[in-house]
Amino acid sequence: MPRKKTAIKHTFRVIAALIQKKDTHTNLFGKYTSSAQKNNKTEKEQATQLFHDCDESGDGILELDEFAVMLNDAGLHRSKSNFLLDIFEEMTPARAEGMNIHDWCEYLEMLTSVSALKADIEIFFHYADLDGSGGLDAMEMKEVQSSLNLRLLSTQEITRFVMACGAEDENGDVSVDQIMSMVVLTWLRRERATTIKCVVIR
């Protein structure tokens, strides 16, 4: 249980850093990005093959529509398919119609990070879902923060986060997939903004 609670605390800190737009989110996400950078030669070859299988036009650019067809053919649940498409669209270079092979490999590397993060978010979600309803509301998040002896987020910040994830109102709840989507997409946008800032400074 101590190890599990440590993971839960870490996940809450990740969410708090993203909500408050703190630079510490980069260090907190290091746990996930480091494991994603250990792809071996076989995995890269498989990634390349998958790219060419999806690129039906054979133009060396994987478009969103082509990727959507592949996900549909794979029979993925709609929520997971939409999530993968959202990340694909977010990571597609600005003004580009799709991804080249380099962008694709970065996308798959991100998904490796995401799979580790998703496991932690699911642990956090089930711990925080105090009433076992399958949904997480602002009150539950506030109580969990207290039970973890953390004082990172105000009641207003927690409420705004839950509503941003898709809750219908201040008392509404959200699913684990909605939280996952919000955390990952916010992380990607923050990383992109940081990269652009570094380039401008140089």
Side-chain angles (χ1 to χ4, degrees), residues 98-148:
M99 292 184 177
N100 59 31
I101 186 64
H102 175 73
D103 301 325
W104 172 250
C105 288
E106 286 191 346
Y107 170 75
L108 294 183
E109 187 174 291
M110 170 58 69
L111 292 186
T112 302
S113 302
V114 165
S115 65
L117 173 61
K118 189 173 191 300
D120 279 356
I121 287 183
E122 286 177 344
I123 291 173
F124 168 80
F125 184 88
H126 293 303
Y127 177 86
D129 183 17
L130 302 176
D131 61 6
S133 65
L136 188 62
D137 59 35
M139 186 60 67
E140 287 174 320
M141 274 198 72
K142 183 179 177 183
E143 290 184 31
V144 167
Q145 177 174 232
S146 178
S147 73
L148 296 172

Side-chain angles (χ1 to χ4, degrees), residues 65-97:
D65 289 345
E66 291 175 321
F67 187 44
V69 169
M70 189 273 283
L71 293 177
N72 184 62
D73 291 344
L76 288 183
H77 188 277
R78 181 165 183 169
S79 63
K80 185 172 184 180
S81 177
N82 287 344
F83 175 67
L84 293 173
L85 289 171
D86 284 344
I87 298 178
F88 183 96
E89 193 167 18
E90 185 65 34
M91 291 187 68
T92 299
R95 297 183 298 280
E97 294 183 0

Side-chain angles (χ1 to χ4, degrees), residues 17-198:
L18 290 173
I19 291 174
Q20 298 174 334
K21 301 182 180 180
K22 290 184 175 180
D23 292 337
T24 51
H25 80 276
T26 300
N27 294 331
L28 290 167
F29 272 100
K31 168 185 175 183
Y32 308 108
T33 55
S34 60
S35 64
Q37 294 167 354
K38 297 177 182 178
N39 292 340
N40 57 38
K41 184 179 179 180
T42 301
E43 289 173 330
K44 289 180 180 178
E45 289 174 349
Q46 291 173 340
T48 301
Q49 185 59 52
L50 182 59
F51 177 88
H52 292 304
D53 289 344
C54 295
D55 180 21
E56 293 186 349
S57 64
D59 61 357
I61 297 294
L62 181 60
E63 298 177 7
L64 184 66
D65 289 345
E66 291 175 321
F67 187 44
V69 169
M70 189 273 283
L71 293 177
N72 184 62
D73 291 344
L76 288 183
H77 188 277
R78 181 165 183 169
S79 63
K80 185 172 184 180
S81 177
N82 287 344
F83 175 67
L84 293 173
L85 289 171
D86 284 344
I87 298 178
F88 183 96
E89 193 167 18
E90 185 65 34
M91 291 187 68
T92 299
R95 297 183 298 280
E97 294 183 0
M99 292 184 177
N100 59 31
I101 186 64
H102 175 73
D103 301 325
W104 172 250
C105 288
E106 286 191 346
Y107 170 75
L108 294 183
E109 187 174 291
M110 170 58 69
L111 292 186
T112 302
S113 302
V114 165
S115 65
L117 173 61
K118 189 173 191 300
D120 279 356
I121 287 183
E122 286 177 344
I123 291 173
F124 168 80
F125 184 88
H126 293 303
Y127 177 86
D129 183 17
L130 302 176
D131 61 6
S133 65
L136 188 62
D137 59 35
M139 186 60 67
E140 287 174 320
M141 274 198 72
K142 183 179 177 183
E143 290 184 31
V144 167
Q145 177 174 232
S146 178
S147 73
L148 296 172
N149 295 317
L150 297 174
R151 296 182 179 180
L152 301 174
L153 298 172
S154 67
T155 299
Q156 291 76 15
E157 286 174 322
I158 289 174
T159 300
R160 283 199 299 270
F161 171 73
V162 173
M163 291 188 70
C165 287
E168 294 183 0
D169 54 46
E170 294 183 358
N171 298 315
D173 58 21
V174 291
S175 68
V176 64
D177 287 334
Q178 287 175 302
I179 291 177
M180 183 68 187
S181 181
M182 174 59 66
V183 170
V184 173
L185 293 177
T186 302
W187 174 25
L188 285 174
R189 289 161 188 159
R190 197 72 47 75
E191 286 296 293
R192 177 175 293 176
T194 301
T195 300
I196 293 174
K197 183 178 179 182
C198 289

